[in-house]
Amino acid sequence: MSLLGIALGVAEDTEFDPNQVTPGVEGFIFTGLMAALIIGLGFLLVSRLRRNAYRHEVRDQIASELAGPDAGTTEGAAGTEAGAGTEQRN
């Protein structure tokens, strides 16, 4: 006899009681706690992603400020450094 035949024979012999298969109060509380934890994790994820985006923006701003207006050429960067030095002396 196969395993499927045994399972069907046992299923036919047992009676269905809907009170035994409902989750009850424990299942409701567990589901509510899981939903609250998932929502909390969602808020944490959004805040971390936002913080990471702000850090990336600030790093880009700092890099562009350090590069100066002529960031495309190395001569322009050297010229702005020399110009900045003469402006401070005057």
Side-chain angles (χ1 to χ4, degrees):
M1 188 174 232
S2 69
L3 186 61
L4 182 61
I6 295 172
L8 287 174
V10 171
E12 290 175 357
D13 292 341
T14 58
E15 292 183 21
F16 178 71
D17 184 14
N19 291 329
Q20 290 181 348
V21 295
T22 59
V25 177
E26 299 88 10
F28 179 75
I29 291 172
F30 179 75
T31 304
L33 287 174
M34 289 299 290
L37 288 173
I38 290 171
I39 290 170
L41 284 173
F43 279 116
L44 286 173
L45 175 67
V46 168
S47 67
R48 287 179 185 262
L49 288 173
R50 185 179 299 130
R51 189 181 328 146
N52 194 16
Y54 289 152
R55 285 180 182 167
H56 184 69
E57 287 178 13
V58 169
R59 286 181 183 154
D60 286 345
Q61 288 176 355
I62 291 171
S64 65
E65 288 174 3
L66 289 176
D70 297 330
T73 62
T74 56
E75 294 174 6
T80 55
E81 290 175 7
T86 56
E87 290 176 357
Q88 291 177 354
R89 292 184 188 143
N90 291 338

